Amino acid sequence: MSYLIKGDTGNWEVVIGLEVHAQVVSQAKLFSGASVAFGAAPNTQVSCVDAGMPGMLPVINGFCVAQAVKTGLGLKARINRHSVFARKNYFYADLPQGYQISQYDQPIVGEGTIVLDMPDGSTRTIGIERLHLEQDAGKSIHDMHPQKTFIDLNRSGVALMEIVSKPDLRSPEEAGQYLRKLRSILRYLGTCDGNMEEGSMRCDANVSVRPAGSNELRTRCEIKNVNSVRFVMQAIEHEARRHVDVYESGGTIVQETRLYDSNRDETRSMRSKEMAHDYRYFPDPDLPPLIFDQAFIDKIKASLPELPDDKKERFIRDYALSTYDADVLVAEQENALYFETVAKGRDAKLAANWVISNLFGMLNKQGVAIADSPVKAKDLGALIDLIADNTLSGRMAKEVFEVMVETGKAPAMIVEERGLKQVTDTGAIDAAIDQIIAANPDKVAEYRSGKDKLMGWFVGQLMKATQGKANPGLCGELLKKKLAP
Amino acid sequence: MTSLTALTIADARDQLAAGKVSAVELADAHLAAMEKAADLNAFITTTPDVARDRAKASDTRRKKGDVGALDGIPLGIKDLFCTEGVLTTAASHILDGFKPPYESTVTAKLRDAGAVMLGKLNLDEFAMGSATITSYYGPTKNPWKAKGSSVDLVPGGSSGGSAAAVAASLCMGATGTDTGGSIRQPAAFTGIVGVKPTYGRCSRWGIVAFASSLDQAGPMTRTVRDSAIMLQVMCGHDPKDSTSSAHVVPDFEAVLKQGVKGLKIGIPKEYRPDGLNAEVSALWDRGMGWLKEAGAVAVDISLPHTKYALPTYYIVAPAEASSNLARYDGVRFGLREPGKSLDEMYAKTRAAGFGAEVKRRILIGTYVLSAGYYDAYYLKAQKVRALIARDFDQAFEKVDAILTPTAPSAPFGIGERMDDPVAMYLNDVFTVPASLAGIPGASVPAGLTATGLPLGLQVLTKRWDEETLFRVSQVIEDAAAFPRLGAS
Amino acid sequence: MSLDKATVRRIATLARIDVQEAELEPLAGELSAILGWIEQLQEVDTSAVAPMTGGTDAALPWRSDVVDDGGQPEKVVANAPDPQDGFFTVPKVVE
């Protein structure tokens, strides 16, 4: 099921590579001891190193190195035990040193892979080109003064991992899945919180097109700093279409940096970035090569959590879940953990249904994170137990769930308080049936003369008489017996 | 009794300990001498208040018997070291008004050992130069003059302010920094001792960076012993500098008198090119003669890549400088020239703030790193640098130390050699190779020209072997009996 | 190697140093002389040589992930030419 753009001259294929900047989860910055916390007052989280003061020198945060290695292992990538920091030289108001410390031809992590789970149940393996560590820049604020741009350096020096994919993505949908999967892996690892709104995960997309079936690589454009999965997909779709239109009208695409405007759903050239770029990379003489031994890698490897792909496989194998259910459940580690708590020792399929349809549905509707769910996993498990032991019917369980959402109470307590216990005592039901038969001889006669449809009416009466607590299966069975001619 | 400003650090240390002189007296004597010699333009900023406060505090400490290795010793600080709350300029207009909120590791160590800061010393702008003539604050004059001449001579550079001040007894010692010879060459030009330790010995934290892979701080003093005393305090591991070494620091002063008996001293043939100044050449021979008399053995050696050291240096140093000096952009400190746009503000600020030599080096550095030229220039230079370092490694398999002249000539007049940058760069021909290799080097005053101008000899040893460096230097100093300025 | 005026203008722009039109020609001459002198490096055979990238052959030391700096905004902006409300400022940048 390939994604093709229909043009006048034929079908076009789109070629996409993504560069993701993921903020490393850490306390202090990559090369200084200032805090990385979000949202502080201007320039309060800035050391003289981050401000590029004369004579200030960088010293690397070892935890950030470990986080990069951990991420590399999570991407099944080659870890380079010898890597080099390089200076990327350019002038910008929020780049205090006049260069960014980054990694160039010798990154800490080399080639790896990400497996995409497509909605149709298929998978696609996308290559990772590299992952490197670098410093973030500060923040320019353009709307605080009519003639001036204000500069806040709190972000300056925060550790980023730049994760570069190979140009293996072939549709906006795949790009979206790639970002979701990458975010999922980073969150599992605890190396990036993946929060695109706060800017802790940002994406640049490299887009080009080519006639379907060809292997050529045409000129690509880079769309900078797109801040949501949906916008990345829209930007790619728009940019690919623009390329097709340009080619088909006989034009050429110029390699350039473009900005996606989500309000207008269009990309436009960033003229400010167009001035001949020449970053003059060279090894940073303030920082000798970054070297660690295999034992360092092995120790991190031993601490890795079970990652989404492995977890998915296990859920399918051990809980007999469908691929779709497994995909949904493993996307976030907390969801998977919740599910496993609910499913433990219970009917896993029933547990998956309850978690996916009822719980996720409710959380989505309320806009609440699973960590803050009013219904705790052990209570949802207890609810499923009440279904399994016939205390509650499916319908009653849904009612109890609603009350659990409102009150946060345990299901047994709700059942107790509201007297919701399902009636399974045949004597009590028999007595109620006898009363109904005695009170409605005409209906009984009609039924017995062949009007089968009246069974529904009798069930209704019986439910009314038992205040809905009678086991529906049992009701039908006993009614049929008593009404038999 | 000799005047207080003529004392060596070692003498002053003894007299302070014996209670014969106070730190305040020493500070006052030097502050007075500085005022009298203002014409040398050795200082960019004098700090008499800081000096008197620290001297008083030193005297108080001494009464309590709680003194550091340099307690009460008045020193000058090259104005490339950031000093907390005290104007720090790097002799550049672009750092106008800059008062760092921090103290460099080296000057903090000196301060914590009780040293008294007299002021900030002049230098070539951003330490780029060999004559202290590129300073925004004007050239420093060499206190030496040729016999019968009134021509003002350069003190060498870039640590020319430090060299002139120490030679003229305006301070007992001074900090210098050496990137390609900036301690050793001015020491030779002013008849004092200058030591560039192994790269990584002294922390670079808080020193305005010129070329990070070459910059090293070191002492400039009137005697070898004083340099040993000062370096002892200045060096040591600093976790704030990733290139600072954790190597154990030996007791330098303890080895001074161990002599050179049995040591093999390399004489590299490449340091005697055709047309080498005859007086320089003769002094070199004389120096080797002194060492032989003291029991050392001369060994002819070859350092085959020597002639490529200067061109290598003039790629590596400007490349690093072009990047290190990008932070002087008018945004966060120093000079700002107004501009309609950000880029215009940058370009005008940097055009007004940097002098001609600094601009030249930034442009060269920018060019050699730019796309298409990196491999041919920068990468090539790094490879040749590796060969130069290997030359020394191989030499030190055969010898314990190397003896060379420090500079190819005696000090020249202010204003000479200014129109030809390459001719000026040749001043550093003998000092640059050791800088590229990261090995320690010292310049020791060894004699005078026929016109009475100082000449120095350079001693080089392998990495981390400053002990041998000091031993050899001490023997030369003892044999040379160099006539110091102002000594009776 | 000789630099033309256009190249000098390009590198001066990269280095953000304003160079007047009249200065370009003499500057091109000076820089060309330096580069011409540097050119002699090309005669050295470096085919089997690893580049020396820094002044030390030691490995990079690591800090631990501890917040021990910052919290001094007044010091950070104290030397700034035109600070406002705790921010640095520059002429307005139009994206």
Side-chain angles (χ1 to χ4, degrees), chain A residues 114-140:
Chain A
I114 282 192
V115 177
L116 306 189
D117 312 289
M118 303 309 292
D120 64 0
S122 66
T123 58
R124 277 265 286 140
T125 300
I126 303 300
I128 298 290
E129 178 69 36
R130 60 185 280 159
L131 174 155
H132 70 249
L133 278 168
E134 63 183 26
Q135 308 174 290
D136 203 353
K139 199 173 161 200
S140 294

Side-chain angles (χ1 to χ4, degrees), chain B residues 33-86:
Chain B
M34 283 158 61
E35 219 166 290
K36 244 166 85 183
D39 172 57
L40 289 179
N41 198 30
F43 286 86
I44 291 174
T45 306
T46 57
T47 54
D49 295 343
V50 174
R52 291 198 179 95
D53 285 351
R54 289 196 190 165
K56 263 181 228 155
S58 172
D59 287 334
T60 308
R61 280 195 297 274
R62 194 168 294 277
K63 276 186 199 122
K64 290 188 204 147
D66 170 30
V67 290
L70 287 168
D71 231 297
I73 303 297
L75 300 177
I77 303 298
K78 185 178 185 180
D79 203 13
L80 202 62
F81 292 79
C82 289
T83 41
E84 190 171 355
V86 174

